[in-house]
Amino acid sequence: MASRTSSLKYFSLLVLSLAIVQMTLAGDPDILTDFIAPPNGTVDGNFFTFTGMRVLVGGGPPKAFTVLKATLTEFPALNGQSVSYAVLEFPSGTTNPPHTHPRSAELLFLVEGTLEVGFVDTKNDLFTQTLQSGDLFVFPKGLAHFQFNADSSTPAIVISAFGSANAGTVSLPSTLFATNIDDNVLALSFKTDVATIQKLKAGLAPKP
């Protein structure tokens, strides 16, 4: 398996090429200044630099599904810039469960491995694909989608670009079964019984 360093050799090219794409996907309000400075702080090169992805360089294969984000929360310089990134690491047999990004499309670039991806549109049509290293796939804004590494031996590494500094993530399993929606409402909605709903909720409860 290629080292993580070599796996990320595409990153510089990706950042440059997707900068243009993000202009077309941008969904955040336009700003009237070059950038939005922090209310209290110095604006220099450090403000425009994010070092949170350094942990990926030279590291070993992932042991669990991991998402490293560079959004407005982690990188305040993105405020008003209509762009953000995430790096997703999938060990064999792991999935990113169905979820949506309410404020942006997602442009996924598969750096290493293979990945099963799919989304469901507003007519309930399912679109799926098996991606190979070097492939890109777009998940339209706001639609439920998923990713799954079905390979039994090789991890998958993904870089995702968003046309918003804060695309937001709504996890469908967590939203439905790890909140306080009434069990009876869920049982009726899914045409099952309350006991089944309670089992689903128990499986999604935070581990002590």
Side-chain angles (χ1 to χ4, degrees):
M1 184 187 70
S3 69
R4 196 178 302 184
T5 302
S6 63
S7 296
L8 294 173
K9 65 184 178 181
Y10 302 103
F11 191 78
S12 296
L13 175 62
L14 183 71
V15 170
L16 292 174
S17 62
L18 292 187
I20 298 172
V21 175
Q22 290 311 301
M23 293 178 187
T24 66
L25 298 178
D28 294 347
D30 287 335
I31 59 175
L32 301 177
T33 56
D34 295 334
F35 53 85
I36 299 176
N40 299 304
T42 302
V43 176
D44 57 16
N46 291 320
F47 175 68
F48 299 101
T49 303
F50 180 71
T51 62
M53 302 297 182
R54 290 182 181 178
V55 296
L56 296 167
V57 180
K63 294 182 172 58
F65 171 66
T66 304
V67 180
L68 289 175
K69 296 181 180 180
T71 71
L72 176 61
T73 300
E74 298 83 15
F75 191 10
L78 296 182
N79 191 13
Q81 301 303 319
S82 299
V83 65
S84 58
Y85 281 93
V87 175
L88 295 78
E89 298 183 284
F90 294 84
S92 298
T94 57
T95 186
N96 190 5
H99 61 282
T100 69
H101 303 293
R103 291 181 288 275
S104 176
E106 175 182 357
L107 185 59
L108 178 151
F109 176 64
L110 182 58
V111 178
E112 180 179 311
T114 61
L115 200 66
E116 308 291 327
V117 300
F119 69 88
V120 179
D121 70 5
T122 55
K123 295 183 291 185
N124 286 330
D125 290 332
L126 174 65
F127 299 86
T128 61
Q129 186 61 275
T130 300
L131 302 181
Q132 307 295 321
S133 298
D135 291 350
L136 287 92
F137 191 88
V138 64
F139 301 104
K141 179 179 178 180
L143 297 185
H145 60 279
F146 65 89
Q147 300 109 21
F148 172 54
N149 180 9
D151 192 296
S152 61
S153 59
T154 305
I157 299 176
V158 162
I159 300 172
S160 285
F162 302 91
S164 169
N166 185 21
T169 300
V170 179
S171 169
L172 299 185
S174 296
T175 298
L176 293 171
F177 299 109
T179 57
N180 292 321
I181 298 177
D182 185 85
D183 290 351
N184 291 298
V185 171
L186 291 172
L188 288 169
S189 299
F190 287 93
K191 295 180 172 46
T192 186
D193 52 47
V194 169
T196 299
I197 296 299
Q198 290 175 342
K199 288 180 181 178
L200 288 168
K201 286 187 171 184
L204 290 168
K207 303 299 181 186

PDB file of all heavy atoms in Angstrom, residues 162-187:
ATOM      1  N   PHE A 162     -16.120  21.685  -0.472  1.00  0.00           N
ATOM      2  CA  PHE A 162     -17.467  22.221  -0.301  1.00  0.00           C
ATOM      3  C   PHE A 162     -17.501  23.687  -0.733  1.00  0.00           C
ATOM      4  O   PHE A 162     -16.535  24.421  -0.525  1.00  0.00           O
ATOM      5  CB  PHE A 162     -17.913  22.108   1.167  1.00  0.00           C
ATOM      6  CG  PHE A 162     -17.906  20.705   1.700  1.00  0.00           C
ATOM      7  CD1 PHE A 162     -16.776  20.193   2.319  1.00  0.00           C
ATOM      8  CD2 PHE A 162     -19.013  19.896   1.570  1.00  0.00           C
ATOM      9  CE1 PHE A 162     -16.756  18.889   2.799  1.00  0.00           C
ATOM     10  CE2 PHE A 162     -19.005  18.592   2.056  1.00  0.00           C
ATOM     11  CZ  PHE A 162     -17.871  18.085   2.673  1.00  0.00           C
ATOM     12  N   GLY A 163     -18.629  24.108  -1.294  1.00  0.00           N
ATOM     13  CA  GLY A 163     -18.793  25.494  -1.713  1.00  0.00           C
ATOM     14  C   GLY A 163     -19.345  26.375  -0.625  1.00  0.00           C
ATOM     15  O   GLY A 163     -20.090  27.321  -0.896  1.00  0.00           O
ATOM     16  N   SER A 164     -19.010  26.074   0.597  1.00  0.00           N
ATOM     17  CA  SER A 164     -19.426  26.869   1.755  1.00  0.00           C
ATOM     18  C   SER A 164     -18.364  26.717   2.827  1.00  0.00           C
ATOM     19  O   SER A 164     -17.755  25.650   2.962  1.00  0.00           O
ATOM     20  CB  SER A 164     -20.775  26.375   2.293  1.00  0.00           C
ATOM     21  OG  SER A 164     -21.064  26.959   3.555  1.00  0.00           O
ATOM     22  N   ALA A 165     -18.144  27.776   3.580  1.00  0.00           N
ATOM     23  CA  ALA A 165     -17.224  27.682   4.709  1.00  0.00           C
ATOM     24  C   ALA A 165     -17.812  26.874   5.852  1.00  0.00           C
ATOM     25  O   ALA A 165     -17.100  26.442   6.749  1.00  0.00           O
ATOM     26  CB  ALA A 165     -16.851  29.085   5.203  1.00  0.00           C
ATOM     27  N   ASN A 166     -19.117  26.663   5.808  1.00  0.00           N
ATOM     28  CA  ASN A 166     -19.803  25.905   6.856  1.00  0.00           C
ATOM     29  C   ASN A 166     -20.949  25.140   6.211  1.00  0.00           C
ATOM     30  O   ASN A 166     -22.119  25.524   6.312  1.00  0.00           O
ATOM     31  CB  ASN A 166     -20.308  26.848   7.952  1.00  0.00           C
ATOM     32  CG  ASN A 166     -20.921  26.099   9.118  1.00  0.00           C
ATOM     33  OD1 ASN A 166     -20.659  24.915   9.317  1.00  0.00           O
ATOM     34  ND2 ASN A 166     -21.746  26.783   9.882  1.00  0.00           N
ATOM     35  N   ALA A 167     -20.606  24.041   5.515  1.00  0.00           N
ATOM     36  CA  ALA A 167     -21.610  23.285   4.761  1.00  0.00           C
ATOM     37  C   ALA A 167     -22.648  22.632   5.653  1.00  0.00           C
ATOM     38  O   ALA A 167     -23.789  22.417   5.241  1.00  0.00           O
ATOM     39  CB  ALA A 167     -20.920  22.217   3.906  1.00  0.00           C
ATOM     40  N   GLY A 168     -22.271  22.312   6.891  1.00  0.00           N
ATOM     41  CA  GLY A 168     -23.172  21.627   7.803  1.00  0.00           C
ATOM     42  C   GLY A 168     -23.297  20.151   7.460  1.00  0.00           C
ATOM     43  O   GLY A 168     -23.159  19.764   6.295  1.00  0.00           O
ATOM     44  N   THR A 169     -23.490  19.320   8.467  1.00  0.00           N
ATOM     45  CA  THR A 169     -23.700  17.887   8.266  1.00  0.00           C
ATOM     46  C   THR A 169     -24.868  17.433   9.123  1.00  0.00           C
ATOM     47  O   THR A 169     -24.880  17.663  10.331  1.00  0.00           O
ATOM     48  CB  THR A 169     -22.444  17.076   8.637  1.00  0.00           C
ATOM     49  OG1 THR A 169     -21.352  17.489   7.826  1.00  0.00           O
ATOM     50  CG2 THR A 169     -22.693  15.583   8.429  1.00  0.00           C
ATOM     51  N   VAL A 170     -25.853  16.819   8.477  1.00  0.00           N
ATOM     52  CA  VAL A 170     -26.992  16.243   9.189  1.00  0.00           C
ATOM     53  C   VAL A 170     -26.911  14.733   9.014  1.00  0.00           C
ATOM     54  O   VAL A 170     -27.180  14.207   7.933  1.00  0.00           O
ATOM     55  CB  VAL A 170     -28.330  16.781   8.644  1.00  0.00           C
ATOM     56  CG1 VAL A 170     -29.497  16.134   9.387  1.00  0.00           C
ATOM     57  CG2 VAL A 170     -28.381  18.299   8.750  1.00  0.00           C
ATOM     58  N   SER A 171     -26.503  14.022  10.074  1.00  0.00           N
ATOM     59  CA  SER A 171     -26.424  12.567  10.041  1.00  0.00           C
ATOM     60  C   SER A 171     -27.830  12.000  10.231  1.00  0.00           C
ATOM     61  O   SER A 171     -28.467  12.234  11.260  1.00  0.00           O
ATOM     62  CB  SER A 171     -25.497  12.056  11.141  1.00  0.00           C
ATOM     63  OG  SER A 171     -25.607  10.649  11.270  1.00  0.00           O
ATOM     64  N   LEU A 172     -28.312  11.244   9.249  1.00  0.00           N
ATOM     65  CA  LEU A 172     -29.682  10.741   9.337  1.00  0.00           C
ATOM     66  C   LEU A 172     -29.879   9.762  10.495  1.00  0.00           C
ATOM     67  O   LEU A 172     -30.865   9.875  11.236  1.00  0.00           O
ATOM     68  CB  LEU A 172     -30.101  10.116   8.011  1.00  0.00           C
ATOM     69  CG  LEU A 172     -30.082  11.081   6.812  1.00  0.00           C
ATOM     70  CD1 LEU A 172     -30.633  10.404   5.570  1.00  0.00           C
ATOM     71  CD2 LEU A 172     -30.863  12.350   7.112  1.00  0.00           C
ATOM     72  N   PRO A 173     -28.980   8.774  10.702  1.00  0.00           N
ATOM     73  CA  PRO A 173     -29.191   7.882  11.860  1.00  0.00           C
ATOM     74  C   PRO A 173     -29.208   8.633  13.190  1.00  0.00           C
ATOM     75  O   PRO A 173     -30.074   8.392  14.033  1.00  0.00           O
ATOM     76  CB  PRO A 173     -28.001   6.915  11.774  1.00  0.00           C
ATOM     77  CG  PRO A 173     -27.614   6.925  10.336  1.00  0.00           C
ATOM     78  CD  PRO A 173     -27.845   8.335   9.872  1.00  0.00           C
ATOM     79  N   SER A 174     -28.267   9.564  13.361  1.00  0.00           N
ATOM     80  CA  SER A 174     -28.212  10.303  14.621  1.00  0.00           C
ATOM     81  C   SER A 174     -29.405  11.226  14.778  1.00  0.00           C
ATOM     82  O   SER A 174     -30.000  11.328  15.855  1.00  0.00           O
ATOM     83  CB  SER A 174     -26.913  11.114  14.698  1.00  0.00           C
ATOM     84  OG  SER A 174     -25.783  10.260  14.707  1.00  0.00           O
ATOM     85  N   THR A 175     -29.775  11.910  13.695  1.00  0.00           N
ATOM     86  CA  THR A 175     -30.895  12.845  13.763  1.00  0.00           C
ATOM     87  C   THR A 175     -32.193  12.131  14.115  1.00  0.00           C
ATOM     88  O   THR A 175     -32.999  12.611  14.915  1.00  0.00           O
ATOM     89  CB  THR A 175     -31.055  13.583  12.424  1.00  0.00           C
ATOM     90  OG1 THR A 175     -29.870  14.339  12.177  1.00  0.00           O
ATOM     91  CG2 THR A 175     -32.249  14.517  12.448  1.00  0.00           C
ATOM     92  N   LEU A 176     -32.386  10.948  13.548  1.00  0.00           N
ATOM     93  CA  LEU A 176     -33.636  10.235  13.762  1.00  0.00           C
ATOM     94  C   LEU A 176     -33.670   9.467  15.073  1.00  0.00           C
ATOM     95  O   LEU A 176     -34.701   9.435  15.761  1.00  0.00           O
ATOM     96  CB  LEU A 176     -33.897   9.281  12.595  1.00  0.00           C
ATOM     97  CG  LEU A 176     -34.185   9.947  11.244  1.00  0.00           C
ATOM     98  CD1 LEU A 176     -34.199   8.909  10.135  1.00  0.00           C
ATOM     99  CD2 LEU A 176     -35.509  10.704  11.298  1.00  0.00           C
ATOM    100  N   PHE A 177     -32.540   8.826  15.413  1.00  0.00           N
ATOM    101  CA  PHE A 177     -32.579   7.861  16.518  1.00  0.00           C
ATOM    102  C   PHE A 177     -31.737   8.251  17.729  1.00  0.00           C
ATOM    103  O   PHE A 177     -31.759   7.542  18.736  1.00  0.00           O
ATOM    104  CB  PHE A 177     -32.136   6.489  16.017  1.00  0.00           C
ATOM    105  CG  PHE A 177     -33.019   5.950  14.931  1.00  0.00           C
ATOM    106  CD1 PHE A 177     -32.570   5.858  13.626  1.00  0.00           C
ATOM    107  CD2 PHE A 177     -34.319   5.551  15.205  1.00  0.00           C
ATOM    108  CE1 PHE A 177     -33.384   5.382  12.614  1.00  0.00           C
ATOM    109  CE2 PHE A 177     -35.151   5.069  14.201  1.00  0.00           C
ATOM    110  CZ  PHE A 177     -34.684   4.985  12.896  1.00  0.00           C
ATOM    111  N   ALA A 178     -30.999   9.343  17.653  1.00  0.00           N
ATOM    112  CA  ALA A 178     -30.190   9.748  18.808  1.00  0.00           C
ATOM    113  C   ALA A 178     -30.629  11.116  19.326  1.00  0.00           C
ATOM    114  O   ALA A 178     -29.860  11.813  19.978  1.00  0.00           O
ATOM    115  CB  ALA A 178     -28.706   9.758  18.448  1.00  0.00           C
ATOM    116  N   THR A 179     -31.845  11.495  18.988  1.00  0.00           N
ATOM    117  CA  THR A 179     -32.413  12.730  19.529  1.00  0.00           C
ATOM    118  C   THR A 179     -33.660  12.361  20.322  1.00  0.00           C
ATOM    119  O   THR A 179     -33.860  11.202  20.675  1.00  0.00           O
ATOM    120  CB  THR A 179     -32.750  13.712  18.387  1.00  0.00           C
ATOM    121  OG1 THR A 179     -33.644  13.075  17.473  1.00  0.00           O
ATOM    122  CG2 THR A 179     -31.489  14.129  17.632  1.00  0.00           C
ATOM    123  N   ASN A 180     -34.482  13.344  20.583  1.00  0.00           N
ATOM    124  CA  ASN A 180     -35.645  13.097  21.446  1.00  0.00           C
ATOM    125  C   ASN A 180     -36.955  12.984  20.672  1.00  0.00           C
ATOM    126  O   ASN A 180     -38.035  13.262  21.223  1.00  0.00           O
ATOM    127  CB  ASN A 180     -35.757  14.206  22.501  1.00  0.00           C
ATOM    128  CG  ASN A 180     -34.626  14.140  23.505  1.00  0.00           C
ATOM    129  OD1 ASN A 180     -34.219  13.057  23.920  1.00  0.00           O
ATOM    130  ND2 ASN A 180     -34.098  15.291  23.877  1.00  0.00           N
ATOM    131  N   ILE A 181     -36.880  12.570  19.396  1.00  0.00           N
ATOM    132  CA  ILE A 181     -38.124  12.327  18.663  1.00  0.00           C
ATOM    133  C   ILE A 181     -38.877  11.190  19.356  1.00  0.00           C
ATOM    134  O   ILE A 181     -38.292  10.161  19.701  1.00  0.00           O
ATOM    135  CB  ILE A 181     -37.837  11.968  17.198  1.00  0.00           C
ATOM    136  CG1 ILE A 181     -37.141  13.140  16.489  1.00  0.00           C
ATOM    137  CG2 ILE A 181     -39.128  11.618  16.463  1.00  0.00           C
ATOM    138  CD1 ILE A 181     -36.753  12.849  15.061  1.00  0.00           C
ATOM    139  N   ASP A 182     -40.158  11.377  19.552  1.00  0.00           N
ATOM    140  CA  ASP A 182     -40.969  10.406  20.287  1.00  0.00           C
ATOM    141  C   ASP A 182     -40.909   9.026  19.621  1.00  0.00           C
ATOM    142  O   ASP A 182     -41.000   8.909  18.395  1.00  0.00           O
ATOM    143  CB  ASP A 182     -42.418  10.900  20.351  1.00  0.00           C
ATOM    144  CG  ASP A 182     -43.289  10.002  21.205  1.00  0.00           C
ATOM    145  OD1 ASP A 182     -43.313  10.194  22.432  1.00  0.00           O
ATOM    146  OD2 ASP A 182     -43.938   9.096  20.629  1.00  0.00           O
ATOM    147  N   ASP A 183     -40.759   7.993  20.433  1.00  0.00           N
ATOM    148  CA  ASP A 183     -40.675   6.619  19.918  1.00  0.00           C
ATOM    149  C   ASP A 183     -41.910   6.240  19.098  1.00  0.00           C
ATOM    150  O   ASP A 183     -41.794   5.523  18.098  1.00  0.00           O
ATOM    151  CB  ASP A 183     -40.517   5.628  21.073  1.00  0.00           C
ATOM    152  CG  ASP A 183     -39.150   5.727  21.736  1.00  0.00           C
ATOM    153  OD1 ASP A 183     -38.274   6.434  21.199  1.00  0.00           O
ATOM    154  OD2 ASP A 183     -38.962   5.088  22.791  1.00  0.00           O
ATOM    155  N   ASN A 184     -43.074   6.698  19.521  1.00  0.00           N
ATOM    156  CA  ASN A 184     -44.288   6.360  18.798  1.00  0.00           C
ATOM    157  C   ASN A 184     -44.304   6.987  17.399  1.00  0.00           C
ATOM    158  O   ASN A 184     -44.748   6.365  16.431  1.00  0.00           O
ATOM    159  CB  ASN A 184     -45.522   6.820  19.579  1.00  0.00           C
ATOM    160  CG  ASN A 184     -45.731   6.013  20.846  1.00  0.00           C
ATOM    161  OD1 ASN A 184     -45.940   4.806  20.790  1.00  0.00           O
ATOM    162  ND2 ASN A 184     -45.644   6.680  21.984  1.00  0.00           N
ATOM    163  N   VAL A 185     -43.806   8.219  17.303  1.00  0.00           N
ATOM    164  CA  VAL A 185     -43.723   8.889  16.003  1.00  0.00           C
ATOM    165  C   VAL A 185     -42.811   8.107  15.066  1.00  0.00           C
ATOM    166  O   VAL A 185     -43.129   7.861  13.892  1.00  0.00           O
ATOM    167  CB  VAL A 185     -43.221  10.339  16.172  1.00  0.00           C
ATOM    168  CG1 VAL A 185     -42.916  10.973  14.817  1.00  0.00           C
ATOM    169  CG2 VAL A 185     -44.241  11.173  16.935  1.00  0.00           C
ATOM    170  N   LEU A 186     -41.657   7.676  15.592  1.00  0.00           N
ATOM    171  CA  LEU A 186     -40.706   6.921  14.769  1.00  0.00           C
ATOM    172  C   LEU A 186     -41.271   5.554  14.395  1.00  0.00           C
ATOM    173  O   LEU A 186     -41.103   5.095  13.255  1.00  0.00           O
ATOM    174  CB  LEU A 186     -39.383   6.768  15.508  1.00  0.00           C
ATOM    175  CG  LEU A 186     -38.577   8.063  15.679  1.00  0.00           C
ATOM    176  CD1 LEU A 186     -37.376   7.829  16.588  1.00  0.00           C
ATOM    177  CD2 LEU A 186     -38.126   8.610  14.339  1.00  0.00           C
ATOM    178  N   ALA A 187     -41.932   4.900  15.328  1.00  0.00           N
ATOM    179  CA  ALA A 187     -42.496   3.577  15.049  1.00  0.00           C
ATOM    180  C   ALA A 187     -43.543   3.660  13.948  1.00  0.00           C
ATOM    181  O   ALA A 187     -43.573   2.836  13.024  1.00  0.00           O
ATOM    182  CB  ALA A 187     -43.094   2.984  16.323  1.00  0.00           C
TER     183      ALA A 187
END
